[in-house]
Amino acid sequence: MAQKPSIPKGTRDFNPEEVAKRNYIFNTIKSKFERFGFMPIETPSFENSDTLMGKYGEEGDRLIFKILNSGDYLSKADQKAYDDKDSNKLTSSISEKALRYDLTVPFARYVVQHQNEIEFPFKRYQMQPVWRADRPQKGRFREFYQCDADVVGSNSLWQEVELVQLYDEVFTALKLEGATIKINNRKILSGIAEVIGASDKLIDFTVALDKLDKIGEEKVKEEMLSKGISPDGIEKLQPLFTLSGDFGTQVESLNSILSTSEEGKKGIEELQFINTAISELGLKSAILQLDVTLARGLNYYTGAIFEVSAPNVAMGSIGGGGRYDDLTGIFGMKNMSGVGISFGLDRIYLVLEELELFPETITKSTEVLFINFGEKEALYSLKAIKTLRENGINAELYPDNAKMKKQMNYANKRNIPFVIIVGEQEVENNLFALKNMITGEQQNVNLEQVVKKFS
RNA sequence: GUGGUUGUAGCUCAGUUGGUUAGAGCGCCUGAUUGUGGUUCAGGAGGUCGUCGGUUCGAGACCGAUCUUCCACCCCA
């Protein structure tokens, strides 16, 4: 026990069953992405540090895994930062690469770098692991997969509409019915901040507002006060705390709060456009819900913000996304609006597991195992197995001439539904004793009948 | 990064105020059954009690550090 090897905190091994289940989710998302016209790309697992650093806020920088330079990195270290024990400063002089923190920023880098080869609007999807130096919890890992679909090079709100449909399609296909797609708009948040005179404190304001359903109205107000938002301004927020009802009712209240903010009104318009279109088109099983307190996420969203939560399970969000007007701007490419959504594979896995929504069929592998009785019989079996495999049947031979009990037990443990027993008699008569491991029934058949049985 | 929590056999867990050789169930192996698995019966293997250090005549138990698990912050998929 003590000497057993281990893996780093927040990482996991996956056994065959888990991989099968993960692939099921993976493949479902992938096929829907392609159905909506997205093409796959991949990017390196690590990027130059300056590509990533500063894109996710101060907290984000802390959570980025930095890669130590190769060779004698200390000789090139910033001596002053070292003496001052200034870790932040020292880091940039001993580390110039970092593990990918999400898929959106590397995608922006990709678009800028390959802008001359890309046909815009560019619709890409990407399903790769990302890393965060976070402290693990349930549903929070240091290595996990994101599945992103983004469109750059189009300002059209139809993209937002399609992305909502895409969420609906994927969760419906996964039988995860009743997923809530929460939607908000950064312009509304900016508008509110403007109205209460806290435009310069937008991030602090939204972070506090985001906690409303978690810590309650009073604590949110406290946090806003402590961040320097005026009591007058907080007073003006009152209608926001009691906002309820359907989309239309909430929009009405927002209209009155934001009557003096051009930006805020623009946000409401966008929201209404999306909602109207979705109402018209209909959703299969998901629910689109306006949530003005939704402010999670990355500092780069400028329009719509999405977040998906699973039904009946205590789990953080299983997806998120939004519109970012200027992400490529940081890499020197202006006027390139993007919008995208992300699926959290690992959390979706936990949710499907908890709700027992995985289909039973996804773990099956070998359909028939041939019992090994010795050299002559094994060769006879392998000839048959070759034919079965050519017919698309998963078949295998037990490798050793072990006791029959052991071989049968092996089939049992692996849930192999059929066993073929080939002994001296069967070889002589050119037959196969086919046994159903579930019912226990057994019959002698020829090769043709075996093929037919599994086809 | 802050505060708390967890770790005993492959798995799930007992283990009294510190006291002989650390237990159970399940699983695993062998046999009853040399051409028939799942059921049953009989037997067997398997643990430096997460790790390192300390207190003690004596530590699975007490103390410290460290790693890991989970939780609350922070933040997020």
Side-chain angles (χ1 to χ4, degrees), chain A residues 52-66 86 88-89 91 101 132-134 203-204 207 227 297-300:
Chain A
L52 304 181
M53 297 297 283
K55 307 299 189 295
Y56 310 99
E58 210 175 303
E59 187 69 12
D61 282 357
R62 207 196 79 215
L63 296 176
I64 292 173
F65 274 108
K66 288 92 184 171
D86 183 339
N88 283 339
K89 252 199 168 141
T91 302
Y101 177 89
R132 294 185 186 176
D134 210 355
I203 300 285
D204 284 339
V207 165
K227 295 288 184 185
L298 309 170
N299 304 346
Y300 45 68

Side-chain angles (χ1 to χ4, degrees), chain A residues 27-55:
Chain A
N27 293 337
T28 303
I29 294 174
K30 183 177 166 169
S31 73
K32 293 301 178 190
F33 279 177
E34 291 178 354
R35 183 64 45 82
F36 276 68
F38 292 88
M39 301 289 285
I41 69 161
E42 293 190 12
T43 63
S45 51
F46 55 96
E47 296 269 352
N48 293 326
S49 297
D50 49 13
T51 301
L52 304 181
M53 297 297 283
K55 307 299 189 295

Side-chain angles (χ1 to χ4, degrees), chain A residues 349-364:
Chain A
Y349 182 103
L350 292 173
V351 169
L352 294 189
E353 193 70 276
E354 196 165 330
L355 298 178
E356 295 178 358
L357 293 175
F358 281 111
E360 275 175 29
T361 49
I362 59 177
T363 48
K364 89 164 187 193

Side-chain angles (χ1 to χ4, degrees), chain A residues 30-286:
Chain A
K30 183 177 166 169
S31 73
K32 293 301 178 190
F33 279 177
E34 291 178 354
R35 183 64 45 82
F36 276 68
F38 292 88
M39 301 289 285
I41 69 161
E42 293 190 12
T43 63
S45 51
F46 55 96
E47 296 269 352
N48 293 326
S49 297
D50 49 13
T51 301
L52 304 181
M53 297 297 283
K55 307 299 189 295
Y56 310 99
E58 210 175 303
E59 187 69 12
D61 282 357
R62 207 196 79 215
L63 296 176
I64 292 173
F65 274 108
K66 288 92 184 171
I67 298 173
L68 212 49
N69 288 345
S70 312
D72 187 10
Y73 56 85
L74 261 190
S75 67
K76 293 176 187 165
D78 183 327
Q79 189 60 44
K80 186 169 184 309
Y82 181 81
D83 292 340
D84 294 350
K85 297 237 182 329
D86 183 339
S87 302
N88 283 339
K89 252 199 168 141
L90 183 64
T91 302
S92 57
S93 70
I94 61 173
S95 162
E96 54 193 23
K97 299 176 288 299
L99 287 177
R100 182 168 59 214
Y101 177 89
D102 74 353
L103 300 178
T104 310
V105 167
F107 172 55
R109 190 225 82 221
Y110 177 97
V111 169
V112 175
Q113 198 174 327
H114 299 277
Q115 50 186 288
N116 295 324
E117 312 149 28
I118 291 173
E119 211 53 58
F120 293 99
F122 181 47
K123 300 175 73 172
R124 84 86 171 83
Y125 75 87
Q126 188 173 357
M127 310 202 284
Q128 288 189 279
V130 302
W131 294 270
R132 294 185 186 176
D134 210 355
R135 195 176 283 204
Q137 283 179 38
K138 187 167 203 155
R140 288 180 91 152
F141 307 99
R142 299 173 99 184
E143 177 183 61
F144 61 96
Y145 270 77
Q146 287 190 335
C147 310
D148 277 29
D150 290 78
V151 189
V152 284
S154 165
N155 291 304
S156 168
L157 283 174
W158 294 116
Q159 305 293 0
E160 275 85 338
V161 172
E162 284 215 89
L163 290 173
V164 170
Q165 287 184 299
L166 178 52
Y167 264 140
D168 180 46
E169 279 288 333
V170 169
F171 290 121
T172 302
L174 290 172
K175 307 268 186 296
L176 185 60
E177 299 186 350
T180 306
I181 306 168
K182 288 184 274 187
I183 184 171
N184 194 11
N185 195 297
R186 196 62 167 220
K187 296 188 176 91
I188 289 177
L189 294 170
S190 303
I192 297 171
E194 183 191 328
V195 168
I196 66 168
S199 286
D200 55 328
K201 300 189 181 68
L202 177 63
I203 300 285
D204 284 339
F205 161 71
T206 53
V207 165
L209 183 62
D210 187 51
K211 295 177 188 163
L212 181 60
D213 59 340
K214 203 168 174 183
I215 61 176
E217 185 179 327
E218 287 312 312
K219 297 255 177 177
V220 169
K221 287 178 176 171
E222 268 172 44
E223 183 167 332
M224 287 182 179
L225 261 178
S226 76
K227 295 288 184 185
I229 294 170
S230 72
D232 266 9
I234 294 173
E235 191 55 39
K236 287 183 191 157
L237 289 177
Q238 199 50 46
L240 216 56
F241 292 123
T242 51
L243 205 59
S244 66
D246 62 13
F247 219 100
T249 322
Q250 291 198 51
V251 165
E252 258 175 56
S253 320
L254 280 176
N255 261 323
S256 65
I257 299 172
L258 291 170
S259 56
T260 59
S261 165
E262 281 311 311
E263 191 174 14
K265 282 193 279 190
K266 183 86 185 8
I268 295 172
E269 262 171 49
E270 292 183 11
L271 218 46
Q272 269 180 316
F273 178 90
I274 297 165
N275 185 53
T276 305
I278 290 296
S279 308
E280 196 74 22
L281 291 161
L283 293 177
K284 286 181 176 168
S285 72

Side-chain angles (χ1 to χ4, degrees), chain A residues 368-371 378-391 393-398 420 432 447:
Chain A
V368 55
L369 176 80
F370 281 66
I371 302 294
L379 185 62
Y380 174 88
S381 296
L382 276 177
K383 284 179 184 165
I385 288 170
K386 189 180 164 200
T387 304
L388 292 182
R389 288 175 178 162
E390 279 164 359
N391 282 278
I393 299 155
N394 299 345
E396 63 180 301
L397 171 72
Y398 191 90
I420 283 180
F432 299 87
L447 183 56

